[in-house]
Amino acid sequence: MRPTQPLWRYRLAVASRTLAAVAGGYALTAAFTAAAALALAQRSTRVDAVLAATLLAWLVYALAIAWVFFARTAWQAWCGVLGPAMLLGLAAQVPQWLTGAA
């Protein structure tokens, strides 16, 4: 049976997905943690908000890694982690822009 694509393309796709899982997952998790901590700080103390956001971030990181390897293409994998990471990062910055405080 003949492979459908050259071996180097397959290895490049796997390397791209691995980089998306590690770097993109980290970016998504960091943005989620910041946004969630700011959202939770409205209802509880800052310490509890940061702790809860950090604990939830482990789940987000695991889901991001799973998404990267479940996506049909490497392009979808990258868009699936970096798109939400940018939106969550923006959501974490908006309160600071509006109030001028951290």
Side-chain angles (χ1 to χ4, degrees):
M1 179 185 242
R2 199 175 100 111
T4 58
Q5 62 182 349
L7 185 61
W8 67 270
R9 290 189 72 189
Y10 172 75
R11 288 183 178 173
L12 186 63
V14 171
S16 176
R17 286 176 188 258
T18 304
L19 185 62
V22 174
Y26 181 82
L28 177 62
T29 304
F32 171 82
T33 304
L38 288 173
L40 292 171
Q42 304 295 324
R43 303 263 181 199
S44 63
T45 63
R46 285 179 131 184
V47 173
D48 290 337
V50 170
L51 183 62
T54 304
L55 288 173
L56 285 172
W58 287 102
L59 178 63
V60 170
Y61 194 48
L63 291 174
I65 291 171
W67 162 253
V68 165
F69 289 101
F70 285 140
R72 281 194 186 270
T73 64
W75 179 251
Q76 285 179 341
W78 277 102
C79 291
V81 292
L82 292 183
M86 286 190 268
L87 291 174
L88 286 169
L90 182 65
Q93 290 296 318
V94 167
Q96 186 177 8
W97 294 338
L98 295 177
T99 63

